[in-house]
Amino acid sequence: MPTGHATGGTGPARSRERFLQGEPVEAGVRTSILSSWQRSRSLGLSPDQADLPFRDDFDRDARIVRAAVPVLDRLQARFAGSKMNISVADASGTVLLRRFGEASLARSLPAFQRVPGFVFAERVAGTNGIGLALAERQLIRVHGAEHFAERSQRSACRALPVRDPLSGRIEGVLCFGYPSSTEDPELAITIRKAAQAIERRLLRQSSARERALLRAYLDTGATTSAGLHHTVGVDELALELHPRDRAVLTEKAAELISRGQRAAAVVSLFDGRRVTLVSRPMRSGSGVEGVAIEAVLPGPAPREPLAVPTQVDVSPGSSGRLAVVTAVPPPRFVPAAAAPGRLPVATLSRNLPDVAHGPFGTVGRVDVADDHPDAPSRTRGLVMVGEPRVGTYALAARRRLELLSEASARIGTTLDVRRTAQELAETAVPRLADFVTIDLPEAVLRGEESADPRTDLHRTVVHGIRDDLPFSPVGKQVDFGPTTPQIRCLTSGQAVLEPDLKAAAGWLAQDPEHTERLLTEVHSLIAVPLVARGVILGIASFYRAQDPAPFGDDDRSLGLELASRAALSIDNARRYTRERTMVLTLQRSLLPHDLPDQDAVEIAHRYLPAESDVGGDWYDVIPLSGTRIGLFVGDVVGHGMLSAATMGQLRTAARSFAELDFPPDEVLTHLDNLVGRLDREEPAAGAGAIGATCLYAVYDPTSQQCTMARAGHPPPALVRPDGTVSFPDLPAGPPLGLGGLPFESAEIHLPEGSRLLLYTDGLIEDRQRDVDVVLDQLRGALAHPEQTPEQTCQTVLETVAPAHPCDDIALLVARTHAMDPRRIAAWDLPADPARVSEVRAAALRQLADWGLDEAAFAAELMLSELVTNAIRHGAGPIRVRLLHGRTLICEVSDASNTAPHLRRAASTDEGGRGLFLVAQLAQSWGTRYLPEGKVIWAECGLDAA
């Protein structure tokens, strides 16, 4: 592998040279190495720097030193004769121990590196094994030109953090150094086993200290305060304790130990009893300082012989955690040798104290009875013994578990991406962090996957213990630099811990507006990627401000676990948002986009989708012949894509049936048949039969009559011009799809200026409200005759619609207009061909009065053909009507039900061209059937010649 200035080299050496010259680095450099190079450059380090800081104030008798010495001695023997050097550094990167496989290796090092005390932290030495292991907090391999400094180009190393098994904190780093030409993959296994051996020795150190505390307590167990019985206590009580009570007692005991001082606390049990926990500082014969927690219980003390333990020991394999001790069951003699895993204690007449290992550590049984006849009726038993530091760890661990349990219930309560992110922040503050920011790509907020999350991040959540947060505001696009912890966590997919943000100030320089104030408010950071199912969803940043202690590895693990759980919920919400957007897009595409131009009614409409899912509510406005207007509102049962698609089919069919001029009851009959056919041909898998409700109303402005029919749908609301509100009593009719039952129509007179409100059941039906109360609210909202339809829609949604609708709401408001009688002309005539000329002349005079001379020729020809057909093929009486609206409508009605038929006449035919001429002259034409007879109509544009 080339070393030094590698202008013509390849691999890491070439990449390093290009990086140092400020050129883009080609692919092939590992992410951890490239990130370390970037950090080293941002810290102003020089690759030619030879000197390293040296400390002589390190603790030469530190726990990590005592635990590592025997392990390093064995490693030195194993690698004897090789060019291996083995180092142990503390958590700050200061080398505490060093061994060499070959003594001559030491002579090749600078003098200050041959003895403990030189610092290999990344912030001063650049990319190296010890510094990178502390930065990445995992097993690291740095090979040859991957080192930042020139002095290390010919060497390679593997380094692994060593953690305290109790607290999880990094106590130091074990590092193997060797020439780059002697790389051996088996070194990874060797260094892991060696680190585990050191960690086991750290655990034994803690166990010995806690065994000493337990021994000290037992040695003084016979000495009691005046008036207190040391007797059966927590153990017998625990037999009948609720599990929650046992957990509360244990947690409170751990909390008292963590305080490290004399104190007392009263704990109320589930059944109303009260237990007093008393903490007693103590010191073992070997100088270990700790705290014993005793429970003082009410009740009579049993009169039993005194049990005085004289010897206490704990097997070397004990957990080394807090010692939790309770009382014994009824006496029975058990020889010490027959009680494996228990405390071997010589007793007078009681059985041996038991020892077991629980979640908080060593659990034993100890009791001493005072048989003085006048002693008060109180009992005392040992609950827990331990060092304050260990108690703090145990309490912190339990609270972390509680936080994770709480997070499972608090995060993901909705299927909203922003709300789920907010729940993550609210859960973490203040129990993990003081401030939390969450940045998500805009695509994720829309329910999609982001192509490049690093360039599309937007501040989604800012939450903390105060309102004056020194962070970019919500909604702003956030651009992180390539060396920031946030981008590093996105690149590596791992949580990044920055215990001291001031040391990372150079990495935050891309946002000078907030950086200076940010560093005065917060001092520690954990950046965690939000990743679920392989999809990068964003970044969660946890900041600490009030607590002077920086974040540690336990905090990083907790933040990663919280983020992982939240990421799954965010991804679920994202997928739901995507599906809901698709369904809502389909739903809106199937609803009317523009209302038709017409003069019969003034229309306003609203569609409000449900919060949880999109349903199949719909509405429609259909111009009909004779200036009439058809109003539809319907609701397909269910939610989702199937309901939206079914709604589209129903709306299309309903429009077709309406444009055929079927009366409302017949339209519903045809729709009922369609729904039944859909249910038979395309059954909804697992969803039951397709069903729907519908209301159809036809308003005629010439007569001001409205004909309505409904199929299982709520009746409309009618607001008369004086403000009177009523709900017409229409025949209910069965929902669509049941089949076999008839539908009935009702006809209502609507004075001009009346408002007709058609709605779906989502407006009035809600689990939290009574329908009658909602209808009263609707009456109050509609009792304003001066309101326009738009104002009516808005008022109804604001005052009547539920705040969080669980069903879609479709709303249609129509204010009626009456056609001016002066724009209507009608003539009745018998079935006599001689009267056709009279009708033509009367019609021409009427058109002249209306100023429609330009349309007279077309109208005259159409009327002549239609009246002649009615006389020749129909039955009297015959009625002719002209309507002057946006267009000119010519209508001819007769008493026959014979349908006219448009055909193409042959060249030799003497007739059969009448309807063909009408179709050519008219914009549209058709037939409308009456209860008795039919109406043939033709519509002519007013600009026709």
Side-chain angles (χ1 to χ4, degrees), residues 215 218-219 307-312 344-348:
R215 183 184 299 110
L218 295 177
D219 287 343
V308 183
T310 60
Q311 178 187 358
V312 177
V345 180
T347 63
L348 296 180

Side-chain angles (χ1 to χ4, degrees), residues 823 847 850-856 883-889 923 939-945:
R823 288 177 170 262
L847 292 177
W850 287 340
L852 301 180
D853 295 329
E854 293 182 358
L883 303 177
H884 178 200
R886 293 176 178 267
T887 60
L888 178 64
I889 300 174
Q923 290 183 349
E939 186 173 340
C940 180
L942 296 183
D943 56 349

Side-chain angles (χ1 to χ4, degrees), residues 722-765:
D722 59 358
T724 304
V725 180
S726 63
F727 297 92
D729 186 16
L730 302 181
L736 300 177
L738 294 183
L741 298 176
F743 298 95
E744 299 181 47
S745 297
E747 192 170 278
I748 302 174
H749 180 74
L750 299 182
E752 184 175 9
S754 299
R755 282 174 295 159
L756 193 62
L757 178 73
L758 283 65
Y759 54 90
T760 55
D761 57 4
L763 178 67
I764 61 172
E765 293 183 5

